[in-house]
Amino acid sequence: MILEKLRNDEINIKIVNILAVIYLFSLTVSYKISGTLIYIILFIFLLNPKVGTYLKNSLKNSFVQAGLLYLAVILIWFIGTHDLSFAITQLKINKFYLLPILFFAFIRVEYFKYYVLAFILGAIVNFVWTYLMFFNIIDNHYSNLIINQSEHAFLIFLTIISLFYRLVKYEDKLVYKILIIFIILLLSSNVFLLKKTQIVSYVIVLFVAFIYLYRKDIVKILIFSLTFLSIFLIGINFLFPTVKYQLLHELDGVQKAIQKQDFTNSMSARLGIAYYSLKVIEDSPIFGYGTGDHAYEVKKAINNSELKNIDSKSYDILIGTLITGKHVTLHNTFLQVLVQYGIIGLIIFLNIFYQILKFTRGETNIYSLLIVSSVTIAFLQFLSGCDFQFGNLAQIFIITICLLILLQNKEKLTR
């Protein structure tokens, strides 16, 4: 009886969408629940008598195809890899690029309001949790965040961008505009409780969003940029002095890395890894070195340099960041892809996001703005090393993008 109902197309699609809404919320609060749910969703969806047709249509999507092409590169570049176990780990890490096939097959836009509710509830839970930490109601330590900072920032940033769009594009009553501004400021203050990288990302994301909305009005862009930058600097200086000192410390690290090759603080260490990564790629720029070989090749370059003799502390820090197991990263996703797969692989990787951005062509609605903002956030995370292999960011990003693309397509069809 239950199986018969699950095999009914209408009932099946309804159930998997309800479960997907729960899945989206679970991604914002748990690692264990979400992992189990996606397999339950897959199992139920495979019972649908039209599953073959739905999956076939899903495979026509350019985002789906771009993700599959990148997975093919990872597999092909297994050939000649130095350590197959590291290569297999890279494949497992990137398996989430299969998710768009599933999401485009069963997600229906009529359930959009429930997906939005799940997203907002997740943002609220994390917002409240962060302030509980701030006021020492619970132990104030980054490891006590419900999810990783990158995921937390993604939720908060997109919520702020949505409110910002409402503020500048809708003719609401003054009281509602004041309320929206208050909520934006409240959410923004939450960002400042995270690490300095998220604060810098926040400024860039908001700036990109404004440029995207007003790209034809240079005067508005200049006025907004100067006003926002002034408020930001005043806020940093007087309200968040700790954040100011953190940022200055990182800027000092950048200066030391460039001028003295001193890689002893977090930012300079990232630059050190980047420096030797670029050295490595000089010898194999087109094809790279193979899946999973990024850390091995960069370690070899560091050991072949004079760094150990010049600055043993910098040497120890760089090597230490590259011996953290099979999930080791170069703290920059673009460089990691470049070292493994060369320029060919990097172009195919970037094509995933190009295909996503193509859905915004000629549009300036809320969906296109959120797509652009999502890709911007992802790229900033890639630059900082907090990429898709950590936590639930990849899954949250992909289901959000799939929803926005479906809504964007519906918007075009209804015009």
Side-chain angles (χ1 to χ4, degrees):
M1 185 68 177
I2 295 175
L3 282 176
E4 286 181 10
K5 287 186 176 181
L6 290 177
R7 288 192 177 104
N8 178 282
D9 177 48
E10 186 177 343
I11 294 174
N12 184 281
I13 292 296
K14 184 176 182 179
I15 290 172
V16 292
N17 272 276
I18 291 171
L19 288 175
V21 170
I22 298 170
Y23 170 72
L24 177 57
F25 177 72
S26 72
L27 286 171
T28 68
V29 295
S30 170
Y31 298 110
K32 296 179 181 179
I33 299 174
S34 58
T36 304
L37 265 175
I38 194 64
Y39 292 110
I40 294 172
I41 291 169
L42 177 61
F43 173 76
I44 293 174
F45 183 57
L46 288 174
L47 296 174
N48 192 306
K50 296 183 180 179
V51 64
T53 302
Y54 291 142
L55 290 173
K56 186 177 179 180
N57 290 333
S58 181
L59 287 167
K60 295 177 183 178
N61 186 282
S62 58
F63 173 33
V64 170
Q65 293 169 358
L68 291 176
L69 183 59
Y70 180 60
L71 287 174
V73 167
I74 294 174
L75 278 170
I76 294 168
W77 262 250
F78 268 48
I79 300 170
T81 190
H82 182 263
D83 188 323
L84 191 60
S85 64
F86 277 75
I88 292 171
T89 298
Q90 287 299 308
L91 182 62
K92 289 179 179 178
I93 285 170
N94 288 282
K95 67 181 183 295
F96 52 75
Y97 284 115
L98 294 171
L99 288 176
I101 305 174
L102 182 63
F103 292 148
F104 279 121
F106 73 74
I107 286 179
R108 301 293 182 265
V109 292
E110 53 262 37
Y111 295 94
F112 176 65
K113 60 184 177 182
Y114 302 110
Y115 286 104
V116 171
L117 181 62
F119 191 96
I120 292 173
L121 282 176
I124 290 172
V125 168
N126 284 277
F127 172 84
V128 172
W129 190 268
T130 309
Y131 272 106
L132 290 175
M133 287 172 54
F134 178 72
F135 290 110
N136 293 312
I137 297 173
I138 59 176
D139 188 23
N140 189 355
H141 192 273
Y142 291 122
S143 62
N144 284 326
L145 286 169
I146 296 177
I147 53 178
N148 286 342
Q149 290 190 36
S150 55
E151 300 148 13
H152 180 107
F154 186 84
L155 296 172
I156 299 297
F157 288 172
L158 287 196
T159 306
I160 291 172
I161 293 298
S162 301
L163 291 168
F164 180 71
Y165 183 87
R166 176 87 193 193
L167 184 66
V168 299
K169 289 293 184 178
Y170 284 70
E171 295 296 329
D172 290 320
K173 294 180 180 179
L174 180 61
V175 63
Y176 292 132
K177 285 189 176 291
I178 293 171
L179 179 61
I180 290 171
I181 291 171
F182 173 75
I183 296 173
I184 289 174
L185 291 174
L186 194 61
L187 289 169
S188 299
S189 68
N190 195 261
V191 176
F192 285 81
L193 303 182
L194 302 176
K195 283 186 178 179
K196 58 268 180 186
T197 51
Q198 303 303 343
I199 297 167
V200 175
S201 295
Y202 167 71
V203 175
I204 296 171
V205 169
L206 208 57
F207 185 64
V208 168
F210 195 86
I211 289 177
Y212 183 75
L213 285 174
Y214 294 101
R215 53 190 179 275
K216 296 179 181 178
D217 194 332
I218 301 298
V219 175
K220 281 187 177 180
I221 290 174
L222 288 173
I223 292 172
F224 171 81
S225 300
L226 291 172
T227 303
F228 180 74
L229 187 60
S230 299
I231 294 172
F232 175 77
L233 291 174
I234 291 170
I236 285 284
N237 192 54
F238 293 103
L239 300 178
F240 301 97
T242 303
V243 173
K244 179 182 74 173
Y245 292 129
Q246 286 178 341
L247 292 173
L248 289 174
H249 176 69
E250 296 303 333
L251 286 173
D252 181 60
V254 171
Q255 184 180 14
K256 287 180 178 178
I258 295 172
Q259 294 180 352
K260 304 176 182 177
Q261 285 201 324
D262 179 339
F263 307 125
T264 54
N265 86 345
S266 60
M267 184 59 71
S268 62
R270 292 173 190 273
L271 291 175
I273 296 296
Y275 173 78
Y276 286 101
S277 298
L278 291 171
K279 284 284 186 184
V280 162
I281 203 62
E282 287 177 359
D283 295 327
S284 185
I286 306 300
F287 297 103
Y289 290 89
T291 304
D293 280 357
H294 50 289
Y296 172 80
E297 294 297 335
V298 175
K299 278 191 295 183
K300 189 165 70 173
I302 294 170
N303 285 322
N304 290 338
S305 73
E306 294 296 319
L307 182 63
K308 189 171 184 179
N309 297 325
I310 297 170
D311 187 343
S312 60
K313 188 175 180 182
S314 290
Y315 170 85
D316 290 340
I317 288 174
L318 294 190
I319 292 297
T321 63
L322 297 172
I323 54 172
T324 54
K326 291 183 173 61
H327 287 75
V328 61
T329 77
L330 299 182
H331 298 281
N332 184 306
T333 304
F334 302 115
L335 285 175
Q336 187 161 312
V337 170
L338 188 62
V339 171
Q340 291 182 93
Y341 317 114
I343 293 172
I344 292 175
L346 182 61
I347 291 171
I348 292 172
F349 175 71
L350 292 175
N351 179 57
I352 296 172
F353 303 93
Y354 170 70
Q355 296 302 328
I356 293 171
L357 291 173
K358 276 175 64 177
F359 289 97
T360 70
R361 189 176 293 168
E363 304 289 339
T364 53
N365 57 31
I366 181 62
Y367 310 130
S368 63
L369 175 63
L370 290 175
I371 289 172
V372 170
S373 299
S374 297
V375 172
T376 301
I377 296 166
F379 274 27
L380 290 168
Q381 298 294 357
F382 294 164
L383 286 170
S384 68
C386 297
D387 65 11
F388 280 174
Q389 80 172 66
F390 299 106
N392 294 337
L393 180 59
Q395 293 90 325
I396 295 173
F397 174 84
I398 287 174
I399 193 171
T400 301
I401 289 295
C402 290
L403 282 164
L404 292 171
I405 288 173
L406 289 168
L407 287 162
Q408 186 76 290
N409 288 339
K410 183 185 178 183
E411 183 82 4
K412 290 178 180 178
L413 290 172
T414 54
R415 278 193 299 227

